[in-house]
Amino acid sequence: MGGNNLLLGVIADDLTGANDTGVQFAKKGLKTFVLLDASVPTPFTGEADVTVWNTDSRALPPDRAKEAAAFAAADIRRLNIPHVYKKIDSTLRGNIGAEIDGIIETLALPFAVVAPAFPQAGRTTRAGVHLLAGRPVA
C-alpha cells in the first residue's frame, strides 16, 4: 500500500508489544512507524499506513495509564486515522480496562471488542476464562 494512507492507529502499553505489532504490519508491506514516546504528539502527518503509539503504561497506576492511552487516542483523532487497535498483553497484564476506557471516551466510540485469545501461542478463552496452555492466567 504505502504512502499518505493513515489507515490504522495502534496503541500499545509497552515497547515490546508496540514493536511486535508493528512488525506484523510491516511484513505485509504496510509502511509502519512505531513511536517510542506517546506522551508527545506525533510529528507524522500521513506518511504511514500504520502508526503504533507506545504509551509505556503497563506498570502505571490505572488513572495515569488511562491518561496515556487517551493522549495517544487524541493524536489518532488529530490525524484523522479511521481505525484504532488497542494492543493488549496476551496474558492480560496491565491496565486494560482503564486504557480502553480512555480510548473510548476520547474517540467517542460506542463500544470496544476485546479478543485476547491467540490459540497458536497457547492462549485461549473458554467460558469467559482466559487460559495459557490450558491453565487460567488468573
Side-chain angles (χ1 to χ4, degrees), residues 20-51:
D20 286 347
T21 302
V23 77
Q24 298 309 314
F25 290 105
K27 283 176 161 180
K28 298 295 183 188
L30 295 171
K31 189 170 184 181
T32 305
F33 288 121
V34 176
L35 304 171
L36 301 178
D37 184 359
S39 68
V40 294
T42 177
F44 302 122
T45 58
E47 302 92 0
D49 298 305
V50 178
T51 302

PDB file of all heavy atoms in Angstrom, residues 20-51:
ATOM      1  N   ASP A  20       6.316  -5.679  18.331  1.00  0.00           N
ATOM      2  CA  ASP A  20       5.767  -6.959  17.866  1.00  0.00           C
ATOM      3  C   ASP A  20       4.575  -6.731  16.941  1.00  0.00           C
ATOM      4  O   ASP A  20       4.416  -7.421  15.933  1.00  0.00           O
ATOM      5  CB  ASP A  20       5.320  -7.831  19.044  1.00  0.00           C
ATOM      6  CG  ASP A  20       6.478  -8.439  19.813  1.00  0.00           C
ATOM      7  OD1 ASP A  20       7.618  -8.403  19.316  1.00  0.00           O
ATOM      8  OD2 ASP A  20       6.226  -8.960  20.918  1.00  0.00           O
ATOM      9  N   THR A  21       3.732  -5.776  17.299  1.00  0.00           N
ATOM     10  CA  THR A  21       2.556  -5.488  16.484  1.00  0.00           C
ATOM     11  C   THR A  21       2.959  -4.793  15.189  1.00  0.00           C
ATOM     12  O   THR A  21       2.516  -5.176  14.106  1.00  0.00           O
ATOM     13  CB  THR A  21       1.556  -4.626  17.277  1.00  0.00           C
ATOM     14  OG1 THR A  21       1.209  -5.330  18.470  1.00  0.00           O
ATOM     15  CG2 THR A  21       0.309  -4.347  16.472  1.00  0.00           C
ATOM     16  N   GLY A  22       3.801  -3.790  15.306  1.00  0.00           N
ATOM     17  CA  GLY A  22       4.223  -3.051  14.121  1.00  0.00           C
ATOM     18  C   GLY A  22       4.894  -3.912  13.078  1.00  0.00           C
ATOM     19  O   GLY A  22       4.644  -3.766  11.874  1.00  0.00           O
ATOM     20  N   VAL A  23       5.727  -4.837  13.518  1.00  0.00           N
ATOM     21  CA  VAL A  23       6.447  -5.676  12.559  1.00  0.00           C
ATOM     22  C   VAL A  23       5.490  -6.582  11.776  1.00  0.00           C
ATOM     23  O   VAL A  23       5.750  -6.894  10.605  1.00  0.00           O
ATOM     24  CB  VAL A  23       7.571  -6.492  13.246  1.00  0.00           C
ATOM     25  CG1 VAL A  23       7.034  -7.688  14.012  1.00  0.00           C
ATOM     26  CG2 VAL A  23       8.616  -6.937  12.231  1.00  0.00           C
ATOM     27  N   GLN A  24       4.380  -6.972  12.379  1.00  0.00           N
ATOM     28  CA  GLN A  24       3.416  -7.809  11.650  1.00  0.00           C
ATOM     29  C   GLN A  24       2.819  -7.044  10.465  1.00  0.00           C
ATOM     30  O   GLN A  24       2.621  -7.626   9.387  1.00  0.00           O
ATOM     31  CB  GLN A  24       2.315  -8.303  12.592  1.00  0.00           C
ATOM     32  CG  GLN A  24       2.806  -9.169  13.728  1.00  0.00           C
ATOM     33  CD  GLN A  24       3.689 -10.319  13.275  1.00  0.00           C
ATOM     34  OE1 GLN A  24       3.374 -11.027  12.320  1.00  0.00           O
ATOM     35  NE2 GLN A  24       4.813 -10.487  13.956  1.00  0.00           N
ATOM     36  N   PHE A  25       2.535  -5.767  10.653  1.00  0.00           N
ATOM     37  CA  PHE A  25       2.011  -4.957   9.550  1.00  0.00           C
ATOM     38  C   PHE A  25       3.100  -4.704   8.512  1.00  0.00           C
ATOM     39  O   PHE A  25       2.833  -4.755   7.308  1.00  0.00           O
ATOM     40  CB  PHE A  25       1.430  -3.651  10.075  1.00  0.00           C
ATOM     41  CG  PHE A  25       0.171  -3.836  10.853  1.00  0.00           C
ATOM     42  CD1 PHE A  25       0.160  -3.739  12.232  1.00  0.00           C
ATOM     43  CD2 PHE A  25      -1.023  -4.135  10.210  1.00  0.00           C
ATOM     44  CE1 PHE A  25      -1.010  -3.922  12.957  1.00  0.00           C
ATOM     45  CE2 PHE A  25      -2.202  -4.320  10.917  1.00  0.00           C
ATOM     46  CZ  PHE A  25      -2.196  -4.220  12.299  1.00  0.00           C
ATOM     47  N   ALA A  26       4.316  -4.436   8.966  1.00  0.00           N
ATOM     48  CA  ALA A  26       5.420  -4.198   8.038  1.00  0.00           C
ATOM     49  C   ALA A  26       5.691  -5.429   7.176  1.00  0.00           C
ATOM     50  O   ALA A  26       5.978  -5.302   5.982  1.00  0.00           O
ATOM     51  CB  ALA A  26       6.676  -3.792   8.813  1.00  0.00           C
ATOM     52  N   LYS A  27       5.584  -6.612   7.756  1.00  0.00           N
ATOM     53  CA  LYS A  27       5.786  -7.853   6.997  1.00  0.00           C
ATOM     54  C   LYS A  27       4.778  -8.003   5.858  1.00  0.00           C
ATOM     55  O   LYS A  27       5.049  -8.678   4.878  1.00  0.00           O
ATOM     56  CB  LYS A  27       5.646  -9.062   7.914  1.00  0.00           C
ATOM     57  CG  LYS A  27       6.825  -9.343   8.794  1.00  0.00           C
ATOM     58  CD  LYS A  27       6.451 -10.514   9.691  1.00  0.00           C
ATOM     59  CE  LYS A  27       7.588 -11.212  10.313  1.00  0.00           C
ATOM     60  NZ  LYS A  27       7.130 -12.331  11.169  1.00  0.00           N
ATOM     61  N   LYS A  28       3.619  -7.366   6.014  1.00  0.00           N
ATOM     62  CA  LYS A  28       2.577  -7.423   4.981  1.00  0.00           C
ATOM     63  C   LYS A  28       2.713  -6.285   3.971  1.00  0.00           C
ATOM     64  O   LYS A  28       1.847  -6.075   3.137  1.00  0.00           O
ATOM     65  CB  LYS A  28       1.186  -7.378   5.619  1.00  0.00           C
ATOM     66  CG  LYS A  28       0.895  -8.539   6.525  1.00  0.00           C
ATOM     67  CD  LYS A  28       0.860  -9.842   5.765  1.00  0.00           C
ATOM     68  CE  LYS A  28       0.502 -10.997   6.670  1.00  0.00           C
ATOM     69  NZ  LYS A  28       0.630 -12.275   6.019  1.00  0.00           N
ATOM     70  N   GLY A  29       3.821  -5.544   4.066  1.00  0.00           N
ATOM     71  CA  GLY A  29       4.094  -4.487   3.106  1.00  0.00           C
ATOM     72  C   GLY A  29       3.511  -3.135   3.449  1.00  0.00           C
ATOM     73  O   GLY A  29       3.571  -2.214   2.631  1.00  0.00           O
ATOM     74  N   LEU A  30       2.969  -2.986   4.656  1.00  0.00           N
ATOM     75  CA  LEU A  30       2.424  -1.696   5.060  1.00  0.00           C
ATOM     76  C   LEU A  30       3.524  -0.836   5.670  1.00  0.00           C
ATOM     77  O   LEU A  30       4.306  -1.321   6.493  1.00  0.00           O
ATOM     78  CB  LEU A  30       1.296  -1.886   6.073  1.00  0.00           C
ATOM     79  CG  LEU A  30       0.062  -2.609   5.528  1.00  0.00           C
ATOM     80  CD1 LEU A  30      -0.902  -2.938   6.655  1.00  0.00           C
ATOM     81  CD2 LEU A  30      -0.621  -1.774   4.465  1.00  0.00           C
ATOM     82  N   LYS A  31       3.597   0.402   5.265  1.00  0.00           N
ATOM     83  CA  LYS A  31       4.575   1.320   5.831  1.00  0.00           C
ATOM     84  C   LYS A  31       4.156   1.609   7.264  1.00  0.00           C
ATOM     85  O   LYS A  31       3.072   2.130   7.513  1.00  0.00           O
ATOM     86  CB  LYS A  31       4.639   2.610   5.012  1.00  0.00           C
ATOM     87  CG  LYS A  31       5.785   3.501   5.418  1.00  0.00           C
ATOM     88  CD  LYS A  31       5.958   4.630   4.439  1.00  0.00           C
ATOM     89  CE  LYS A  31       7.185   5.440   4.816  1.00  0.00           C
ATOM     90  NZ  LYS A  31       7.371   6.559   3.897  1.00  0.00           N
ATOM     91  N   THR A  32       5.022   1.248   8.208  1.00  0.00           N
ATOM     92  CA  THR A  32       4.670   1.262   9.627  1.00  0.00           C
ATOM     93  C   THR A  32       5.689   2.058  10.425  1.00  0.00           C
ATOM     94  O   THR A  32       6.892   1.866  10.259  1.00  0.00           O
ATOM     95  CB  THR A  32       4.601  -0.184  10.165  1.00  0.00           C
ATOM     96  OG1 THR A  32       3.691  -0.927   9.349  1.00  0.00           O
ATOM     97  CG2 THR A  32       4.154  -0.218  11.602  1.00  0.00           C
ATOM     98  N   PHE A  33       5.181   2.938  11.295  1.00  0.00           N
ATOM     99  CA  PHE A  33       6.027   3.673  12.236  1.00  0.00           C
ATOM    100  C   PHE A  33       5.676   3.230  13.642  1.00  0.00           C
ATOM    101  O   PHE A  33       4.494   3.078  13.972  1.00  0.00           O
ATOM    102  CB  PHE A  33       5.799   5.183  12.149  1.00  0.00           C
ATOM    103  CG  PHE A  33       6.330   5.829  10.912  1.00  0.00           C
ATOM    104  CD1 PHE A  33       5.484   6.514  10.062  1.00  0.00           C
ATOM    105  CD2 PHE A  33       7.682   5.773  10.599  1.00  0.00           C
ATOM    106  CE1 PHE A  33       5.967   7.125   8.918  1.00  0.00           C
ATOM    107  CE2 PHE A  33       8.177   6.378   9.458  1.00  0.00           C
ATOM    108  CZ  PHE A  33       7.311   7.057   8.617  1.00  0.00           C
ATOM    109  N   VAL A  34       6.691   3.047  14.481  1.00  0.00           N
ATOM    110  CA  VAL A  34       6.490   2.808  15.908  1.00  0.00           C
ATOM    111  C   VAL A  34       7.055   4.011  16.642  1.00  0.00           C
ATOM    112  O   VAL A  34       8.233   4.331  16.502  1.00  0.00           O
ATOM    113  CB  VAL A  34       7.183   1.508  16.379  1.00  0.00           C
ATOM    114  CG1 VAL A  34       7.042   1.342  17.879  1.00  0.00           C
ATOM    115  CG2 VAL A  34       6.599   0.293  15.652  1.00  0.00           C
ATOM    116  N   LEU A  35       6.185   4.676  17.397  1.00  0.00           N
ATOM    117  CA  LEU A  35       6.584   5.864  18.141  1.00  0.00           C
ATOM    118  C   LEU A  35       7.030   5.453  19.534  1.00  0.00           C
ATOM    119  O   LEU A  35       6.276   4.806  20.262  1.00  0.00           O
ATOM    120  CB  LEU A  35       5.421   6.843  18.227  1.00  0.00           C
ATOM    121  CG  LEU A  35       4.845   7.245  16.866  1.00  0.00           C
ATOM    122  CD1 LEU A  35       3.567   8.036  17.042  1.00  0.00           C
ATOM    123  CD2 LEU A  35       5.866   8.029  16.066  1.00  0.00           C
ATOM    124  N   LEU A  36       8.236   5.807  19.899  1.00  0.00           N
ATOM    125  CA  LEU A  36       8.802   5.387  21.175  1.00  0.00           C
ATOM    126  C   LEU A  36       8.186   6.104  22.361  1.00  0.00           C
ATOM    127  O   LEU A  36       8.143   5.564  23.455  1.00  0.00           O
ATOM    128  CB  LEU A  36      10.317   5.607  21.176  1.00  0.00           C
ATOM    129  CG  LEU A  36      11.091   4.865  20.097  1.00  0.00           C
ATOM    130  CD1 LEU A  36      12.577   5.206  20.191  1.00  0.00           C
ATOM    131  CD2 LEU A  36      10.864   3.379  20.189  1.00  0.00           C
ATOM    132  N   ASP A  37       7.703   7.327  22.163  1.00  0.00           N
ATOM    133  CA  ASP A  37       7.177   8.123  23.269  1.00  0.00           C
ATOM    134  C   ASP A  37       5.831   8.712  22.877  1.00  0.00           C
ATOM    135  O   ASP A  37       5.761   9.700  22.151  1.00  0.00           O
ATOM    136  CB  ASP A  37       8.165   9.235  23.623  1.00  0.00           C
ATOM    137  CG  ASP A  37       7.736  10.053  24.824  1.00  0.00           C
ATOM    138  OD1 ASP A  37       6.656   9.785  25.398  1.00  0.00           O
ATOM    139  OD2 ASP A  37       8.482  10.976  25.191  1.00  0.00           O
ATOM    140  N   ALA A  38       4.755   8.101  23.371  1.00  0.00           N
ATOM    141  CA  ALA A  38       3.407   8.552  23.031  1.00  0.00           C
ATOM    142  C   ALA A  38       2.967   9.752  23.863  1.00  0.00           C
ATOM    143  O   ALA A  38       1.839  10.200  23.735  1.00  0.00           O
ATOM    144  CB  ALA A  38       2.416   7.407  23.206  1.00  0.00           C
ATOM    145  N   SER A  39       3.851  10.283  24.692  1.00  0.00           N
ATOM    146  CA  SER A  39       3.454  11.422  25.534  1.00  0.00           C
ATOM    147  C   SER A  39       3.600  12.760  24.811  1.00  0.00           C
ATOM    148  O   SER A  39       3.264  13.797  25.363  1.00  0.00           O
ATOM    149  CB  SER A  39       4.266  11.436  26.831  1.00  0.00           C
ATOM    150  OG  SER A  39       5.623  11.723  26.561  1.00  0.00           O
ATOM    151  N   VAL A  40       4.086  12.720  23.584  1.00  0.00           N
ATOM    152  CA  VAL A  40       4.165  13.935  22.771  1.00  0.00           C
ATOM    153  C   VAL A  40       3.452  13.655  21.449  1.00  0.00           C
ATOM    154  O   VAL A  40       3.486  12.536  20.946  1.00  0.00           O
ATOM    155  CB  VAL A  40       5.628  14.358  22.497  1.00  0.00           C
ATOM    156  CG1 VAL A  40       6.317  14.768  23.778  1.00  0.00           C
ATOM    157  CG2 VAL A  40       6.409  13.263  21.809  1.00  0.00           C
ATOM    158  N   PRO A  41       2.772  14.655  20.873  1.00  0.00           N
ATOM    159  CA  PRO A  41       2.083  14.417  19.599  1.00  0.00           C
ATOM    160  C   PRO A  41       3.061  13.982  18.518  1.00  0.00           C
ATOM    161  O   PRO A  41       4.182  14.468  18.442  1.00  0.00           O
ATOM    162  CB  PRO A  41       1.474  15.781  19.268  1.00  0.00           C
ATOM    163  CG  PRO A  41       1.380  16.490  20.575  1.00  0.00           C
ATOM    164  CD  PRO A  41       2.554  16.001  21.383  1.00  0.00           C
ATOM    165  N   THR A  42       2.621  13.049  17.703  1.00  0.00           N
ATOM    166  CA  THR A  42       3.489  12.568  16.638  1.00  0.00           C
ATOM    167  C   THR A  42       3.700  13.659  15.588  1.00  0.00           C
ATOM    168  O   THR A  42       2.759  14.387  15.256  1.00  0.00           O
ATOM    169  CB  THR A  42       2.922  11.310  15.971  1.00  0.00           C
ATOM    170  OG1 THR A  42       3.791  10.938  14.902  1.00  0.00           O
ATOM    171  CG2 THR A  42       1.544  11.521  15.402  1.00  0.00           C
ATOM    172  N   PRO A  43       4.919  13.756  15.068  1.00  0.00           N
ATOM    173  CA  PRO A  43       5.168  14.721  14.005  1.00  0.00           C
ATOM    174  C   PRO A  43       4.697  14.217  12.642  1.00  0.00           C
ATOM    175  O   PRO A  43       4.673  14.959  11.686  1.00  0.00           O
ATOM    176  CB  PRO A  43       6.696  14.880  14.037  1.00  0.00           C
ATOM    177  CG  PRO A  43       7.180  13.561  14.537  1.00  0.00           C
ATOM    178  CD  PRO A  43       6.129  13.088  15.520  1.00  0.00           C
ATOM    179  N   PHE A  44       4.337  12.943  12.550  1.00  0.00           N
ATOM    180  CA  PHE A  44       3.937  12.373  11.271  1.00  0.00           C
ATOM    181  C   PHE A  44       2.564  12.894  10.863  1.00  0.00           C
ATOM    182  O   PHE A  44       1.678  13.061  11.682  1.00  0.00           O
ATOM    183  CB  PHE A  44       3.921  10.845  11.331  1.00  0.00           C
ATOM    184  CG  PHE A  44       5.249  10.269  11.720  1.00  0.00           C
ATOM    185  CD1 PHE A  44       5.371   9.462  12.832  1.00  0.00           C
ATOM    186  CD2 PHE A  44       6.386  10.539  10.986  1.00  0.00           C
ATOM    187  CE1 PHE A  44       6.590   8.940  13.208  1.00  0.00           C
ATOM    188  CE2 PHE A  44       7.613  10.030  11.345  1.00  0.00           C
ATOM    189  CZ  PHE A  44       7.724   9.226  12.459  1.00  0.00           C
ATOM    190  N   THR A  45       2.392  13.100   9.576  1.00  0.00           N
ATOM    191  CA  THR A  45       1.132  13.657   9.094  1.00  0.00           C
ATOM    192  C   THR A  45       0.549  12.863   7.940  1.00  0.00           C
ATOM    193  O   THR A  45      -0.234  13.390   7.167  1.00  0.00           O
ATOM    194  CB  THR A  45       1.329  15.111   8.650  1.00  0.00           C
ATOM    195  OG1 THR A  45       2.344  15.131   7.633  1.00  0.00           O
ATOM    196  CG2 THR A  45       1.714  16.005   9.797  1.00  0.00           C
ATOM    197  N   GLY A  46       0.910  11.616   7.798  1.00  0.00           N
ATOM    198  CA  GLY A  46       0.301  10.833   6.741  1.00  0.00           C
ATOM    199  C   GLY A  46       1.259   9.973   5.963  1.00  0.00           C
ATOM    200  O   GLY A  46       0.894   9.419   4.940  1.00  0.00           O
ATOM    201  N   GLU A  47       2.491   9.840   6.410  1.00  0.00           N
ATOM    202  CA  GLU A  47       3.474   9.070   5.659  1.00  0.00           C
ATOM    203  C   GLU A  47       3.338   7.565   5.852  1.00  0.00           C
ATOM    204  O   GLU A  47       3.961   6.804   5.156  1.00  0.00           O
ATOM    205  CB  GLU A  47       4.899   9.466   6.064  1.00  0.00           C
ATOM    206  CG  GLU A  47       5.228  10.920   5.877  1.00  0.00           C
ATOM    207  CD  GLU A  47       4.958  11.758   7.116  1.00  0.00           C
ATOM    208  OE1 GLU A  47       4.518  11.207   8.135  1.00  0.00           O
ATOM    209  OE2 GLU A  47       5.153  12.969   7.056  1.00  0.00           O
ATOM    210  N   ALA A  48       2.518   7.135   6.806  1.00  0.00           N
ATOM    211  CA  ALA A  48       2.450   5.709   7.150  1.00  0.00           C
ATOM    212  C   ALA A  48       1.069   5.142   6.896  1.00  0.00           C
ATOM    213  O   ALA A  48       0.073   5.860   6.889  1.00  0.00           O
ATOM    214  CB  ALA A  48       2.809   5.511   8.621  1.00  0.00           C
ATOM    215  N   ASP A  49       1.040   3.828   6.705  1.00  0.00           N
ATOM    216  CA  ASP A  49      -0.226   3.106   6.672  1.00  0.00           C
ATOM    217  C   ASP A  49      -0.660   2.765   8.088  1.00  0.00           C
ATOM    218  O   ASP A  49      -1.843   2.770   8.407  1.00  0.00           O
ATOM    219  CB  ASP A  49      -0.078   1.804   5.874  1.00  0.00           C
ATOM    220  CG  ASP A  49       0.303   2.057   4.432  1.00  0.00           C
ATOM    221  OD1 ASP A  49      -0.413   2.815   3.756  1.00  0.00           O
ATOM    222  OD2 ASP A  49       1.317   1.487   3.980  1.00  0.00           O
ATOM    223  N   VAL A  50       0.325   2.466   8.941  1.00  0.00           N
ATOM    224  CA  VAL A  50       0.071   2.081  10.330  1.00  0.00           C
ATOM    225  C   VAL A  50       1.042   2.860  11.217  1.00  0.00           C
ATOM    226  O   VAL A  50       2.238   2.905  10.933  1.00  0.00           O
ATOM    227  CB  VAL A  50       0.292   0.565  10.542  1.00  0.00           C
ATOM    228  CG1 VAL A  50       0.076   0.175  11.996  1.00  0.00           C
ATOM    229  CG2 VAL A  50      -0.610  -0.258   9.626  1.00  0.00           C
ATOM    230  N   THR A  51       0.510   3.466  12.271  1.00  0.00           N
ATOM    231  CA  THR A  51       1.354   4.128  13.259  1.00  0.00           C
ATOM    232  C   THR A  51       1.036   3.520  14.607  1.00  0.00           C
ATOM    233  O   THR A  51      -0.127   3.359  14.968  1.00  0.00           O
ATOM    234  CB  THR A  51       1.115   5.650  13.282  1.00  0.00           C
ATOM    235  OG1 THR A  51       1.379   6.172  11.979  1.00  0.00           O
ATOM    236  CG2 THR A  51       2.028   6.331  14.287  1.00  0.00           C
TER     237      THR A  51
END
